[in-house]
Amino acid sequence: MTDAPRKKSPRAPSLPLDEALDRVMRAYDKDRTHPSPVDVVAQHLGYKTANSGTALQAIASLRYYGLLERPSDGYLAVSKEVESYRFAPDESTKQALLRSFLRRPALFAELLDRFSDGLPSDANLRFDLIQRGFLPSTAASLVGVFRTSTEFAKYFEAAAPSRATELPRSEEPSFAEEPEPEPVRLPQTDPMRARHVIEDDGASDRIPVRLSGGRRAWLVIPQVFFEADKKRLKAQIDLLLTEDDEESSI
């Protein structure tokens, strides 16, 4: 008897728009819109390397919003729209760009069109996402990402006529057909760079997790760990599992 294939949730940002913008601005301050190696961009975003699930999730989220582009294999660049947002001459232009970023993920655009008069309750949104194929725990996490992003963009505060003036989006496939962003291929580097030393601060427990191929991962858990912390950690792990299994060497 073979194991049933793991069910994957549809693709969507794992970071809210405000956090995504904050991170991409760090990259813009370093290299403006010039193409840079993926590992360098990951460091600008606040990660030690791109060879981690959290860094790859963040990069994918920024690409879903249209904040990062992939001009060539192994390189990323901050989009010109980010520069336009940074130097927007007035608040209305900024808000138009924010609404454009918010609607760039096909799932978010569909939800905003479905609930055009305002978002329903979290329970209603979670049910809608589960019906679309999201795992329950992932749906709960995504509800927070979507609601926070919508509030940050002040989407429903804008008068209905003004939404027609949003910046045009490039033609995209429907959510059901949305292609997966091509995997980022990193230049060949010394594998020792991917190893990190986790210092023991005496206030956390390090739990080893054995991976395939003789690899190991470590969970660093604070000694004071509440039930709510467990749920948040599980939701984040579930969200990471929605991505395709990464190759041992990208």
Side-chain angles (χ1 to χ4, degrees):
M1 181 177 179
T2 58
D3 294 335
R6 174 170 56 84
K7 181 181 179 182
K8 296 189 301 179
S9 295
R11 297 178 179 276
S14 60
L15 295 178
L17 180 56
D18 56 338
E19 183 176 345
L21 267 173
D22 179 69
R23 288 185 180 274
V24 81
M25 285 304 178
R26 302 178 198 175
Y28 178 81
D29 288 341
K30 296 289 186 178
D31 283 315
R32 299 297 189 267
T33 59
H34 302 298
S36 301
V38 176
D39 219 30
V40 172
V41 174
Q43 292 169 16
H44 293 341
L45 297 178
Y47 302 97
K48 292 183 178 180
T49 176
N51 289 313
S52 72
T54 52
L56 290 171
Q57 283 280 338
I59 290 172
S61 293
L62 269 59
R63 292 188 65 194
Y64 286 138
Y65 288 124
L67 306 179
L68 281 181
E69 299 173 342
R70 191 173 78 91
S72 60
D73 194 27
Y75 285 80
L76 292 170
V78 176
S79 69
K80 291 293 291 184
E81 287 80 7
V82 171
E83 187 172 63
S84 297
Y85 175 81
R86 179 69 174 268
F87 298 105
D90 51 60
E91 191 62 25
S92 63
T93 302
K94 276 184 176 287
Q95 289 304 123
L97 283 162
L98 284 178
R99 291 192 293 273
S100 177
F101 296 146
L102 179 65
R103 292 185 60 90
R104 190 66 64 87
L107 170 63
F108 285 10
E110 287 191 12
L111 290 174
L112 291 168
D113 290 341
R114 177 185 174 114
F115 304 110
S116 58
D117 294 331
L119 298 186
S121 66
D122 286 358
N124 195 332
L125 280 172
R126 184 167 59 249
F127 178 77
D128 185 283
L129 292 172
I130 292 173
Q131 294 299 107
R132 292 170 181 266
F134 284 90
L135 298 171
S137 56
T138 306
S141 177
L142 183 54
V143 165
V145 171
F146 178 56
R147 187 177 293 279
T148 299
S149 300
T150 303
E151 292 173 351
F152 174 70
K154 299 180 180 179
Y155 186 83
F156 293 104
E157 293 182 22
S162 68
R163 291 194 192 155
T165 64
E166 292 177 4
L167 298 184
R169 291 195 298 138
S170 58
E171 189 67 25
E172 296 181 357
S174 66
F175 171 66
E177 301 173 350
E178 182 179 34
E180 168 187 349
E182 297 180 29
V184 173
R185 294 179 175 82
L186 300 177
Q188 292 295 325
T189 56
D190 185 349
M192 292 298 292
R193 293 181 58 194
R195 301 181 57 184
H196 305 298
V197 177
I198 303 175
E199 298 182 358
D200 186 359
D201 58 6
S204 303
D205 295 322
R206 298 176 64 212
I207 302 175
V209 179
R210 295 187 181 278
L211 306 175
S212 61
R215 297 171 298 140
R216 286 189 301 173
W218 295 88
L219 292 177
V220 181
I221 306 297
Q223 293 178 0
V224 179
F225 197 59
F226 301 103
E227 186 65 28
D229 300 329
K230 296 179 184 178
K231 294 180 180 179
R232 186 179 182 88
L233 179 60
K234 183 179 183 301
Q236 182 61 37
I237 292 175
D238 287 340
L239 195 58
L240 290 174
L241 290 177
T242 65
E243 297 295 327
D244 290 334
D245 296 331
E246 298 297 332
E247 299 178 6
S248 57
S249 176
I250 343 181

